[in-house]
Each structure stands twice: as structure tokens, then as C-alpha cells.
Amino acid sequence: MTTTLTRLRGPLTFTALIAAAILVLPHLLEPFRLNLLAQYLCYAIVALGIALAWGRGGMLTLGHGVYFGLGGYAIAIHLTLARTATDPLTPDRLPQFMVWSGRTELPWFWTALTHPAAAIAAAVLVPGALATLLGWSVFRQRVRGAYFAILNQALAAAFVILLIGQQHLTGGSNGLTDFPVFAGHSLYSPTAQTTLYTLTVLTLAALYLLLRHITRSRYGKLLLAIRDGEDRVRYLGYDPTWAKTLAYALSAMTAGIAGALFVPILGIISPTLVGVIPSIMMVLAVALGGRHSLAGAATGAVLVNAAQTTFAETFAGGWTYLQGALFVLVIALAPQGLAGLTHHARGALTRPRTPTPEPTTTGSPT
């Protein structure tokens, strides 16, 4: 009986958390706070992918804002087209920034995202395709460690430069905003916002279960071996290139899904949300929560973003310093993150105490 309860404790706890998030929190939080929580959960989805690539595969990814942005812009383009389709002041469905730039027709990739199914597919597949191409190109050259991290950061910087420079195609530094409808349904109603929140919770839960299964499979064990000794894995006859590329692509697709959910929740996408700084913040949140734990990484993302909102509201000018101090303390005192602290605390509480042997006395018989 005890063994059965121990085995079911994890699934029951997970189910209870999801049920509470869907059934209880929408009634406890006001719409503004519920919307903020939905945004935090989108970043938690990104954290799951980073935990797979970095925590399990040893690939420090400092450019996940690119994949988050690709997913976000794919949905934003579709939502912009949905708005212009019902606006009599937009000739040929051209957004205002394209008209001001002198364009007379939609770009081909805008036209391809007219249908919502195409936009959703692009939000997932385009980040995955780019990550596959980049991963295969660099991993077969045995690029890893700091060099791979710098390459990712350079990709994020180039992505922002491209978005700002191609203003007639992307909206430039202003980005894309004002999304009233999706698939014929209003996004401004309280019901729509609650639905988006519920969808985000369910997506986070599904991706957590999927990535958890992957990390516990034989492929997950291979990733772990590559992380701890890539040259040894090559010596044993395995090619780490495709194993690492697959993990990196899955991580990018996860970020694309998060970006696709984030845009209708926030109502805007711009280069400031997908550049170098946001990419670094995503990684730091995972480091805080614990990169070796999927649950820890997701929790860290929620806590960091919630703390940023809370402290920014209270200490608008001092949040950056508080944030820096927080990360220094975590890295110095808890390099495994909050998940590592929790694991050590649980082990200390459940570890059986060794009974102290009673002293024995020896004496002569009387």
C-alpha cells in the first residue's frame, strides 16, 4: 500500500496543480493578474525547452528569443491579416506601415499565413527547421561550449537587426499590435482571455509530460552521456551530431509554441521582446530554477517574471540591481538552482537517522 501511494504521489500532485490552475485561479485573480500569469507560463514553456537543450544536452542556448520571436511573429502576421480583412480603410489588406512604406501588395510569406492553421504550423515548424539547420551545421563541426553560446547570441542580435531594418515587412521597431480577432472570435473579451490562459496551462502540462518522457528514455540517457563526455560517446561509436540537433530543434519548437501563445495574450510583438537581453533572461530564469529539472526550470521562469513585475511596481529604479543580486546569490550559494535546494532538503528530511549505539560497559563479575 505504501509503495502504491509513493508511486502515485507524483501524478496526483501534478493533476492537482493543473486542476487548481484551471479551476481555481481564474476565480481568485482579477483579469489583469490572470493575463500576467498567462504570460509567465509562456516563459515557463520556453524554460522547458532550454532545460532539455542546456540541462540535459549541455548546449548553452543564449538565443532562444529568436525562436520565441519566430513563433510570435507568425501568429502576429496572421492576426494582422485577420484585422485588415474586416477594415474598409486598408486597401488590398495592406497594413498601414506597408502603405506608408510604399508597398502595393503583401509579401509572399504574409500571404502564406492567411489561414490560422498555416500560422500555427509555421510557429512550430519554422523555428524547428532553423534550429535543425543551425544545429547540424555547427555540431558536425564539433562547435560547443562558449563558442556555441556566442553563436546563439549573435543570431539573436542579427534577428533584431533584421526585424528593425525590414520595417516595410515586419513593422520595424514598433512591431505588430492590435489583434482584435482570431478565427472569428474576439480576443478582447474576458472569456477569450480566460480561454487563452487555460490553453497555455494545458500546453505547458502537455509539453512537460512529453519532455519528461524524452529525458527518461534511452535517447535522454544518450543526451546525458553526450553532455558529460561527448568525446567518449564518439569513441563508443555514437554520433552526437544528430542527437544534439534533435534536442536543440525540440527546444526551438517549444519556444515557438510559447511565442505563438504569448502574442494574443499580450497583444503585441516587437524586437524588444525577442532580442539578446530577453534571450539571456530566459536562460537566467532556468539557472535560477534549476537547469537539470524540467519542473524547476518552469518554476524559475514563473518566479523570475513575477518578481520582475512585483519589484518593478514597487522599486521601479532598483529592480535591475535586485535582479543582479538575486542571480549572484543563487549561482554562488545554489549552483543547482531552487530545484537542487529542494532535492537536498527532501533528502535530508527523508534520510533515515543512524541510531547511536549504546555504550557498553565491561566489568568483572561479582
Side-chain angles (χ1 to χ4, degrees), residues 166-213:
Q166 300 297 316
Q167 182 173 354
H168 62 291
L169 300 177
T170 64
S173 58
N174 295 324
L176 302 176
T177 187
D178 189 13
F179 312 126
V181 295
F182 177 72
H185 300 281
S186 173
L187 292 177
Y188 292 157
S189 65
T191 302
Q193 292 300 313
T194 303
T195 302
L196 285 171
Y197 164 77
T198 303
L199 178 61
T200 305
V201 173
L202 293 176
T203 303
L204 174 63
L207 289 174
Y208 170 79
L209 293 176
L210 174 63
L211 296 183
R212 182 173 179 268
H213 174 73

mmCIF file of all heavy atoms in Angstrom, residues 166-213:
data_model
loop_
_atom_site.group_PDB
_atom_site.id
_atom_site.type_symbol
_atom_site.label_atom_id
_atom_site.label_comp_id
_atom_site.label_asym_id
_atom_site.label_seq_id
_atom_site.Cartn_x
_atom_site.Cartn_y
_atom_site.Cartn_z
ATOM 1 N N GLN A 166 13.997 45.768 -41.734
ATOM 2 C CA GLN A 166 12.965 45.478 -42.730
ATOM 3 C C GLN A 166 11.605 46.000 -42.240
ATOM 4 O O GLN A 166 10.646 45.254 -42.106
ATOM 5 C CB GLN A 166 12.911 43.979 -42.989
ATOM 6 C CG GLN A 166 14.201 43.393 -43.500
ATOM 7 C CD GLN A 166 14.589 43.964 -44.858
ATOM 8 O OE1 GLN A 166 13.757 44.094 -45.754
ATOM 9 N NE2 GLN A 166 15.860 44.314 -45.006
ATOM 10 N N GLN A 167 11.543 47.291 -42.004
ATOM 11 C CA GLN A 167 10.336 47.882 -41.436
ATOM 12 C C GLN A 167 9.131 47.695 -42.348
ATOM 13 O O GLN A 167 8.002 47.527 -41.872
ATOM 14 C CB GLN A 167 10.564 49.366 -41.174
ATOM 15 C CG GLN A 167 9.363 50.053 -40.524
ATOM 16 C CD GLN A 167 9.671 51.474 -40.110
ATOM 17 O OE1 GLN A 167 10.816 51.918 -40.205
ATOM 18 N NE2 GLN A 167 8.670 52.196 -39.660
ATOM 19 N N HIS A 168 9.335 47.712 -43.648
ATOM 20 C CA HIS A 168 8.213 47.569 -44.581
ATOM 21 C C HIS A 168 7.641 46.154 -44.589
ATOM 22 O O HIS A 168 6.573 45.925 -45.146
ATOM 23 C CB HIS A 168 8.663 47.951 -45.992
ATOM 24 C CG HIS A 168 9.764 47.074 -46.530
ATOM 25 N ND1 HIS A 168 11.046 47.092 -46.024
ATOM 26 C CD2 HIS A 168 9.758 46.146 -47.525
ATOM 27 C CE1 HIS A 168 11.791 46.236 -46.696
ATOM 28 N NE2 HIS A 168 11.041 45.640 -47.601
ATOM 29 N N LEU A 169 8.338 45.210 -43.945
ATOM 30 C CA LEU A 169 7.863 43.832 -43.888
ATOM 31 C C LEU A 169 7.445 43.398 -42.491
ATOM 32 O O LEU A 169 6.573 42.533 -42.340
ATOM 33 C CB LEU A 169 8.954 42.875 -44.394
ATOM 34 C CG LEU A 169 9.441 43.074 -45.826
ATOM 35 C CD1 LEU A 169 10.562 42.092 -46.132
ATOM 36 C CD2 LEU A 169 8.296 42.911 -46.831
ATOM 37 N N THR A 170 8.069 43.985 -41.472
ATOM 38 C CA THR A 170 7.869 43.500 -40.101
ATOM 39 C C THR A 170 7.297 44.540 -39.143
ATOM 40 O O THR A 170 7.007 44.210 -37.995
ATOM 41 C CB THR A 170 9.207 43.005 -39.517
ATOM 42 O OG1 THR A 170 10.120 44.121 -39.424
ATOM 43 C CG2 THR A 170 9.823 41.933 -40.405
ATOM 44 N N GLY A 171 7.153 45.777 -39.595
ATOM 45 C CA GLY A 171 6.712 46.827 -38.693
ATOM 46 C C GLY A 171 7.845 47.511 -37.969
ATOM 47 O O GLY A 171 7.604 48.415 -37.165
ATOM 48 N N GLY A 172 9.086 47.081 -38.196
ATOM 49 C CA GLY A 172 10.249 47.731 -37.614
ATOM 50 C C GLY A 172 10.296 47.644 -36.106
ATOM 51 O O GLY A 172 9.865 46.651 -35.501
ATOM 52 N N SER A 173 10.810 48.693 -35.479
ATOM 53 C CA SER A 173 10.959 48.695 -34.026
ATOM 54 C C SER A 173 9.611 48.744 -33.308
ATOM 55 O O SER A 173 9.529 48.399 -32.128
ATOM 56 C CB SER A 173 11.823 49.890 -33.595
ATOM 57 O OG SER A 173 11.232 51.102 -34.045
ATOM 58 N N ASN A 174 8.555 49.196 -33.986
ATOM 59 C CA ASN A 174 7.228 49.222 -33.365
ATOM 60 C C ASN A 174 6.597 47.838 -33.289
ATOM 61 O O ASN A 174 5.710 47.611 -32.464
ATOM 62 C CB ASN A 174 6.296 50.152 -34.149
ATOM 63 C CG ASN A 174 6.746 51.594 -34.091
ATOM 64 O OD1 ASN A 174 7.247 52.046 -33.065
ATOM 65 N ND2 ASN A 174 6.583 52.314 -35.194
ATOM 66 N N GLY A 175 7.017 46.935 -34.137
ATOM 67 C CA GLY A 175 6.461 45.584 -34.128
ATOM 68 C C GLY A 175 5.042 45.548 -34.677
ATOM 69 O O GLY A 175 4.619 46.430 -35.441
ATOM 70 N N LEU A 176 4.315 44.530 -34.289
ATOM 71 C CA LEU A 176 2.930 44.338 -34.722
ATOM 72 C C LEU A 176 2.034 44.322 -33.494
ATOM 73 O O LEU A 176 2.377 43.707 -32.478
ATOM 74 C CB LEU A 176 2.790 43.016 -35.491
ATOM 75 C CG LEU A 176 3.665 42.857 -36.741
ATOM 76 C CD1 LEU A 176 3.499 41.456 -37.333
ATOM 77 C CD2 LEU A 176 3.342 43.921 -37.787
ATOM 78 N N THR A 177 0.879 44.973 -33.606
ATOM 79 C CA THR A 177 -0.031 45.049 -32.463
ATOM 80 C C THR A 177 -1.461 45.204 -32.959
ATOM 81 O O THR A 177 -1.707 45.240 -34.169
ATOM 82 C CB THR A 177 0.357 46.215 -31.542
ATOM 83 O OG1 THR A 177 -0.446 46.169 -30.366
ATOM 84 C CG2 THR A 177 0.174 47.553 -32.239
ATOM 85 N N ASP A 178 -2.400 45.319 -32.006
ATOM 86 C CA ASP A 178 -3.823 45.482 -32.288
ATOM 87 C C ASP A 178 -4.370 44.240 -32.991
ATOM 88 O O ASP A 178 -4.544 44.205 -34.206
ATOM 89 C CB ASP A 178 -4.069 46.733 -33.137
ATOM 90 C CG ASP A 178 -5.562 47.041 -33.255
ATOM 91 O OD1 ASP A 178 -6.359 46.452 -32.490
ATOM 92 O OD2 ASP A 178 -5.923 47.855 -34.131
ATOM 93 N N PHE A 179 -4.641 43.215 -32.182
ATOM 94 C CA PHE A 179 -5.170 41.948 -32.701
ATOM 95 C C PHE A 179 -6.558 41.709 -32.105
ATOM 96 O O PHE A 179 -6.685 41.115 -31.034
ATOM 97 C CB PHE A 179 -4.237 40.790 -32.331
ATOM 98 C CG PHE A 179 -2.793 41.048 -32.629
ATOM 99 C CD1 PHE A 179 -1.831 40.913 -31.641
ATOM 100 C CD2 PHE A 179 -2.388 41.456 -33.891
ATOM 101 C CE1 PHE A 179 -0.499 41.146 -31.909
ATOM 102 C CE2 PHE A 179 -1.044 41.699 -34.165
ATOM 103 C CZ PHE A 179 -0.096 41.544 -33.174
ATOM 104 N N PRO A 180 -7.612 42.151 -32.776
ATOM 105 C CA PRO A 180 -8.946 42.027 -32.178
ATOM 106 C C PRO A 180 -9.579 40.648 -32.300
ATOM 107 O O PRO A 180 -10.395 40.272 -31.454
ATOM 108 C CB PRO A 180 -9.764 43.070 -32.946
ATOM 109 C CG PRO A 180 -9.081 43.181 -34.277
ATOM 110 C CD PRO A 180 -7.621 42.928 -34.024
ATOM 111 N N VAL A 181 -9.219 39.883 -33.358
ATOM 112 C CA VAL A 181 -9.914 38.610 -33.569
ATOM 113 C C VAL A 181 -8.927 37.518 -33.938
ATOM 114 O O VAL A 181 -7.849 37.782 -34.483
ATOM 115 C CB VAL A 181 -10.983 38.733 -34.690
ATOM 116 C CG1 VAL A 181 -12.097 39.683 -34.277
ATOM 117 C CG2 VAL A 181 -10.349 39.180 -36.007
ATOM 118 N N PHE A 182 -9.329 36.290 -33.638
ATOM 119 C CA PHE A 182 -8.605 35.097 -34.086
ATOM 120 C C PHE A 182 -9.634 34.031 -34.429
ATOM 121 O O PHE A 182 -10.469 33.682 -33.589
ATOM 122 C CB PHE A 182 -7.660 34.569 -33.011
ATOM 123 C CG PHE A 182 -6.949 33.305 -33.409
ATOM 124 C CD1 PHE A 182 -5.951 33.338 -34.365
ATOM 125 C CD2 PHE A 182 -7.301 32.085 -32.853
ATOM 126 C CE1 PHE A 182 -5.292 32.179 -34.749
ATOM 127 C CE2 PHE A 182 -6.650 30.922 -33.233
ATOM 128 C CZ PHE A 182 -5.638 30.975 -34.183
ATOM 129 N N ALA A 183 -9.586 33.546 -35.676
ATOM 130 C CA ALA A 183 -10.533 32.531 -36.163
ATOM 131 C C ALA A 183 -11.983 32.968 -35.932
ATOM 132 O O ALA A 183 -12.851 32.162 -35.587
ATOM 133 C CB ALA A 183 -10.272 31.191 -35.489
ATOM 134 N N GLY A 184 -12.238 34.263 -36.097
ATOM 135 C CA GLY A 184 -13.589 34.775 -35.968
ATOM 136 C C GLY A 184 -14.038 35.085 -34.564
ATOM 137 O O GLY A 184 -15.179 35.515 -34.352
ATOM 138 N N HIS A 185 -13.177 34.886 -33.555
ATOM 139 C CA HIS A 185 -13.538 35.122 -32.162
ATOM 140 C C HIS A 185 -12.779 36.340 -31.629
ATOM 141 O O HIS A 185 -11.592 36.516 -31.900
ATOM 142 C CB HIS A 185 -13.220 33.897 -31.308
ATOM 143 C CG HIS A 185 -13.949 32.661 -31.732
ATOM 144 N ND1 HIS A 185 -15.267 32.412 -31.417
ATOM 145 C CD2 HIS A 185 -13.542 31.593 -32.468
ATOM 146 C CE1 HIS A 185 -15.644 31.248 -31.918
ATOM 147 N NE2 HIS A 185 -14.605 30.733 -32.569
ATOM 148 N N SER A 186 -13.463 37.153 -30.845
ATOM 149 C CA SER A 186 -12.847 38.342 -30.275
ATOM 150 C C SER A 186 -11.818 37.957 -29.221
ATOM 151 O O SER A 186 -12.043 37.072 -28.403
ATOM 152 C CB SER A 186 -13.926 39.236 -29.644
ATOM 153 O OG SER A 186 -13.330 40.313 -28.942
ATOM 154 N N LEU A 187 -10.680 38.648 -29.252
ATOM 155 C CA LEU A 187 -9.627 38.417 -28.268
ATOM 156 C C LEU A 187 -9.686 39.412 -27.118
ATOM 157 O O LEU A 187 -8.870 39.326 -26.195
ATOM 158 C CB LEU A 187 -8.255 38.498 -28.947
ATOM 159 C CG LEU A 187 -7.919 37.392 -29.940
ATOM 160 C CD1 LEU A 187 -6.568 37.656 -30.587
ATOM 161 C CD2 LEU A 187 -7.935 36.029 -29.281
ATOM 162 N N TYR A 188 -10.607 40.345 -27.177
ATOM 163 C CA TYR A 188 -10.696 41.369 -26.144
ATOM 164 C C TYR A 188 -11.687 41.030 -25.041
ATOM 165 O O TYR A 188 -11.744 41.729 -24.035
ATOM 166 C CB TYR A 188 -11.086 42.719 -26.771
ATOM 167 C CG TYR A 188 -10.017 43.318 -27.657
ATOM 168 C CD1 TYR A 188 -10.343 44.243 -28.643
ATOM 169 C CD2 TYR A 188 -8.678 42.958 -27.511
ATOM 170 C CE1 TYR A 188 -9.364 44.802 -29.459
ATOM 171 C CE2 TYR A 188 -7.705 43.502 -28.320
ATOM 172 C CZ TYR A 188 -8.056 44.424 -29.291
ATOM 173 O OH TYR A 188 -7.074 44.968 -30.094
ATOM 174 N N SER A 189 -12.459 39.996 -25.207
ATOM 175 C CA SER A 189 -13.455 39.648 -24.205
ATOM 176 C C SER A 189 -12.807 38.900 -23.043
ATOM 177 O O SER A 189 -11.786 38.212 -23.219
ATOM 178 C CB SER A 189 -14.551 38.772 -24.822
ATOM 179 O OG SER A 189 -14.029 37.521 -25.228
ATOM 180 N N PRO A 190 -13.357 39.021 -21.817
ATOM 181 C CA PRO A 190 -12.816 38.267 -20.677
ATOM 182 C C PRO A 190 -12.832 36.758 -20.904
ATOM 183 O O PRO A 190 -11.922 36.047 -20.445
ATOM 184 C CB PRO A 190 -13.742 38.673 -19.528
ATOM 185 C CG PRO A 190 -14.311 39.999 -19.930
ATOM 186 C CD PRO A 190 -14.449 39.933 -21.419
ATOM 187 N N THR A 191 -13.839 36.270 -21.601
ATOM 188 C CA THR A 191 -13.906 34.830 -21.876
ATOM 189 C C THR A 191 -12.735 34.379 -22.736
ATOM 190 O O THR A 191 -12.141 33.318 -22.502
ATOM 191 C CB THR A 191 -15.227 34.485 -22.575
ATOM 192 O OG1 THR A 191 -16.319 34.903 -21.753
ATOM 193 C CG2 THR A 191 -15.320 32.992 -22.831
ATOM 194 N N ALA A 192 -12.378 35.196 -23.726
ATOM 195 C CA ALA A 192 -11.250 34.843 -24.597
ATOM 196 C C ALA A 192 -9.947 34.815 -23.818
ATOM 197 O O ALA A 192 -9.106 33.924 -24.016
ATOM 198 C CB ALA A 192 -11.160 35.836 -25.752
ATOM 199 N N GLN A 193 -9.740 35.773 -22.923
ATOM 200 C CA GLN A 193 -8.523 35.799 -22.138
ATOM 201 C C GLN A 193 -8.433 34.596 -21.197
ATOM 202 O O GLN A 193 -7.361 34.013 -21.020
ATOM 203 C CB GLN A 193 -8.443 37.103 -21.337
ATOM 204 C CG GLN A 193 -8.237 38.341 -22.195
ATOM 205 C CD GLN A 193 -6.951 38.279 -23.001
ATOM 206 O OE1 GLN A 193 -5.898 37.945 -22.485
ATOM 207 N NE2 GLN A 193 -7.045 38.592 -24.287
ATOM 208 N N THR A 194 -9.563 34.213 -20.607
ATOM 209 C CA THR A 194 -9.571 33.018 -19.758
ATOM 210 C C THR A 194 -9.297 31.769 -20.571
ATOM 211 O O THR A 194 -8.581 30.864 -20.122
ATOM 212 C CB THR A 194 -10.926 32.889 -19.037
ATOM 213 O OG1 THR A 194 -11.181 34.084 -18.284
ATOM 214 C CG2 THR A 194 -10.924 31.702 -18.098
ATOM 215 N N THR A 195 -9.841 31.720 -21.777
ATOM 216 C CA THR A 195 -9.595 30.576 -22.661
ATOM 217 C C THR A 195 -8.126 30.480 -23.041
ATOM 218 O O THR A 195 -7.538 29.390 -23.051
ATOM 219 C CB THR A 195 -10.463 30.688 -23.925
ATOM 220 O OG1 THR A 195 -11.846 30.745 -23.555
ATOM 221 C CG2 THR A 195 -10.243 29.490 -24.837
ATOM 222 N N LEU A 196 -7.503 31.625 -23.342
ATOM 223 C CA LEU A 196 -6.083 31.632 -23.679
ATOM 224 C C LEU A 196 -5.244 31.174 -22.487
ATOM 225 O O LEU A 196 -4.269 30.430 -22.654
ATOM 226 C CB LEU A 196 -5.655 33.029 -24.120
ATOM 227 C CG LEU A 196 -6.094 33.469 -25.512
ATOM 228 C CD1 LEU A 196 -5.788 34.945 -25.724
ATOM 229 C CD2 LEU A 196 -5.414 32.634 -26.584
ATOM 230 N N TYR A 197 -5.612 31.609 -21.306
ATOM 231 C CA TYR A 197 -4.902 31.179 -20.102
ATOM 232 C C TYR A 197 -5.011 29.668 -19.921
ATOM 233 O O TYR A 197 -4.007 28.984 -19.654
ATOM 234 C CB TYR A 197 -5.465 31.910 -18.884
ATOM 235 C CG TYR A 197 -5.071 31.279 -17.569
ATOM 236 C CD1 TYR A 197 -3.791 31.453 -17.028
ATOM 237 C CD2 TYR A 197 -5.974 30.481 -16.864
ATOM 238 C CE1 TYR A 197 -3.431 30.858 -15.835
ATOM 239 C CE2 TYR A 197 -5.615 29.890 -15.663
ATOM 240 C CZ TYR A 197 -4.352 30.076 -15.149
ATOM 241 O OH TYR A 197 -3.989 29.476 -13.974
ATOM 242 N N THR A 198 -6.230 29.137 -20.067
ATOM 243 C CA THR A 198 -6.431 27.693 -19.918
ATOM 244 C C THR A 198 -5.646 26.919 -20.968
ATOM 245 O O THR A 198 -5.020 25.889 -20.665
ATOM 246 C CB THR A 198 -7.933 27.357 -20.035
ATOM 247 O OG1 THR A 198 -8.665 28.098 -19.051
ATOM 248 C CG2 THR A 198 -8.172 25.876 -19.834
ATOM 249 N N LEU A 199 -5.650 27.422 -22.200
ATOM 250 C CA LEU A 199 -4.890 26.776 -23.269
ATOM 251 C C LEU A 199 -3.399 26.782 -22.953
ATOM 252 O O LEU A 199 -2.695 25.787 -23.207
ATOM 253 C CB LEU A 199 -5.157 27.493 -24.593
ATOM 254 C CG LEU A 199 -4.405 26.968 -25.821
ATOM 255 C CD1 LEU A 199 -4.778 25.514 -26.098
ATOM 256 C CD2 LEU A 199 -4.713 27.829 -27.046
ATOM 257 N N THR A 200 -2.914 27.866 -22.377
ATOM 258 C CA THR A 200 -1.496 27.948 -22.011
ATOM 259 C C THR A 200 -1.147 26.947 -20.922
ATOM 260 O O THR A 200 -0.105 26.279 -20.974
ATOM 261 C CB THR A 200 -1.149 29.371 -21.549
ATOM 262 O OG1 THR A 200 -1.509 30.305 -22.564
ATOM 263 C CG2 THR A 200 0.329 29.498 -21.257
ATOM 264 N N VAL A 201 -2.021 26.814 -19.922
ATOM 265 C CA VAL A 201 -1.789 25.841 -18.847
ATOM 266 C C VAL A 201 -1.740 24.424 -19.410
ATOM 267 O O VAL A 201 -0.849 23.629 -19.080
ATOM 268 C CB VAL A 201 -2.881 25.957 -17.767
ATOM 269 C CG1 VAL A 201 -2.746 24.829 -16.750
ATOM 270 C CG2 VAL A 201 -2.795 27.299 -17.060
ATOM 271 N N LEU A 202 -2.693 24.085 -20.264
ATOM 272 C CA LEU A 202 -2.747 22.737 -20.827
ATOM 273 C C LEU A 202 -1.547 22.475 -21.733
ATOM 274 O O LEU A 202 -0.998 21.359 -21.746
ATOM 275 C CB LEU A 202 -4.050 22.555 -21.610
ATOM 276 C CG LEU A 202 -5.341 22.570 -20.775
ATOM 277 C CD1 LEU A 202 -6.563 22.469 -21.684
ATOM 278 C CD2 LEU A 202 -5.341 21.433 -19.761
ATOM 279 N N THR A 203 -1.124 23.487 -22.490
ATOM 280 C CA THR A 203 0.054 23.322 -23.349
ATOM 281 C C THR A 203 1.306 23.104 -22.516
ATOM 282 O O THR A 203 2.143 22.249 -22.825
ATOM 283 C CB THR A 203 0.226 24.556 -24.247
ATOM 284 O OG1 THR A 203 -0.960 24.755 -25.019
ATOM 285 C CG2 THR A 203 1.410 24.371 -25.183
ATOM 286 N N LEU A 204 1.451 23.878 -21.457
ATOM 287 C CA LEU A 204 2.591 23.705 -20.557
ATOM 288 C C LEU A 204 2.604 22.303 -19.957
ATOM 289 O O LEU A 204 3.661 21.651 -19.913
ATOM 290 C CB LEU A 204 2.530 24.754 -19.452
ATOM 291 C CG LEU A 204 3.574 24.650 -18.328
ATOM 292 C CD1 LEU A 204 4.975 24.833 -18.880
ATOM 293 C CD2 LEU A 204 3.289 25.681 -17.236
ATOM 294 N N ALA A 205 1.450 21.818 -19.520
ATOM 295 C CA ALA A 205 1.373 20.482 -18.927
ATOM 296 C C ALA A 205 1.719 19.404 -19.953
ATOM 297 O O ALA A 205 2.467 18.461 -19.654
ATOM 298 C CB ALA A 205 -0.028 20.248 -18.367
ATOM 299 N N ALA A 206 1.183 19.539 -21.174
ATOM 300 C CA ALA A 206 1.440 18.532 -22.210
ATOM 301 C C ALA A 206 2.918 18.502 -22.600
ATOM 302 O O ALA A 206 3.514 17.419 -22.750
ATOM 303 C CB ALA A 206 0.569 18.813 -23.432
ATOM 304 N N LEU A 207 3.518 19.673 -22.766
ATOM 305 C CA LEU A 207 4.933 19.711 -23.139
ATOM 306 C C LEU A 207 5.815 19.212 -21.999
ATOM 307 O O LEU A 207 6.850 18.575 -22.249
ATOM 308 C CB LEU A 207 5.319 21.136 -23.526
ATOM 309 C CG LEU A 207 4.755 21.638 -24.856
ATOM 310 C CD1 LEU A 207 5.080 23.103 -25.066
ATOM 311 C CD2 LEU A 207 5.292 20.805 -26.017
ATOM 312 N N TYR A 208 5.426 19.489 -20.775
ATOM 313 C CA TYR A 208 6.192 18.972 -19.634
ATOM 314 C C TYR A 208 6.193 17.443 -19.650
ATOM 315 O O TYR A 208 7.245 16.806 -19.475
ATOM 316 C CB TYR A 208 5.603 19.491 -18.334
ATOM 317 C CG TYR A 208 6.175 18.812 -17.107
ATOM 318 C CD1 TYR A 208 7.421 19.178 -16.611
ATOM 319 C CD2 TYR A 208 5.476 17.790 -16.466
ATOM 320 C CE1 TYR A 208 7.950 18.545 -15.497
ATOM 321 C CE2 TYR A 208 6.006 17.155 -15.348
ATOM 322 C CZ TYR A 208 7.238 17.529 -14.877
ATOM 323 O OH TYR A 208 7.770 16.890 -13.778
ATOM 324 N N LEU A 209 5.026 16.838 -19.852
ATOM 325 C CA LEU A 209 4.940 15.378 -19.876
ATOM 326 C C LEU A 209 5.732 14.797 -21.043
ATOM 327 O O LEU A 209 6.401 13.766 -20.902
ATOM 328 C CB LEU A 209 3.479 14.944 -19.955
ATOM 329 C CG LEU A 209 2.622 15.250 -18.716
ATOM 330 C CD1 LEU A 209 1.166 14.860 -18.978
ATOM 331 C CD2 LEU A 209 3.153 14.529 -17.490
ATOM 332 N N LEU A 210 5.657 15.466 -22.204
ATOM 333 C CA LEU A 210 6.392 14.983 -23.376
ATOM 334 C C LEU A 210 7.896 15.041 -23.146
ATOM 335 O O LEU A 210 8.617 14.046 -23.374
ATOM 336 C CB LEU A 210 6.009 15.816 -24.599
ATOM 337 C CG LEU A 210 6.802 15.535 -25.881
ATOM 338 C CD1 LEU A 210 6.578 14.103 -26.339
ATOM 339 C CD2 LEU A 210 6.425 16.526 -26.973
ATOM 340 N N LEU A 211 8.394 16.173 -22.688
ATOM 341 C CA LEU A 211 9.836 16.319 -22.480
ATOM 342 C C LEU A 211 10.318 15.463 -21.315
ATOM 343 O O LEU A 211 11.453 14.972 -21.329
ATOM 344 C CB LEU A 211 10.180 17.782 -22.252
ATOM 345 C CG LEU A 211 9.903 18.719 -23.433
ATOM 346 C CD1 LEU A 211 10.347 20.134 -23.122
ATOM 347 C CD2 LEU A 211 10.577 18.224 -24.708
ATOM 348 N N ARG A 212 9.464 15.263 -20.333
ATOM 349 C CA ARG A 212 9.829 14.381 -19.219
ATOM 350 C C ARG A 212 9.995 12.948 -19.714
ATOM 351 O O ARG A 212 10.927 12.238 -19.302
ATOM 352 C CB ARG A 212 8.758 14.456 -18.132
ATOM 353 C CG ARG A 212 9.044 13.613 -16.882
ATOM 354 C CD ARG A 212 7.983 13.920 -15.843
ATOM 355 N NE ARG A 212 8.174 13.131 -14.622
ATOM 356 C CZ ARG A 212 7.614 11.962 -14.398
ATOM 357 N NH1 ARG A 212 6.808 11.440 -15.319
ATOM 358 N NH2 ARG A 212 7.841 11.306 -13.273
ATOM 359 N N HIS A 213 9.101 12.535 -20.610
ATOM 360 C CA HIS A 213 9.228 11.191 -21.196
ATOM 361 C C HIS A 213 10.506 11.090 -22.018
ATOM 362 O O HIS A 213 11.202 10.059 -21.974
ATOM 363 C CB HIS A 213 8.004 10.899 -22.064
ATOM 364 C CG HIS A 213 8.105 9.619 -22.827
ATOM 365 N ND1 HIS A 213 7.994 8.380 -22.227
ATOM 366 C CD2 HIS A 213 8.333 9.375 -24.155
ATOM 367 C CE1 HIS A 213 8.138 7.431 -23.140
ATOM 368 N NE2 HIS A 213 8.346 8.009 -24.309
#
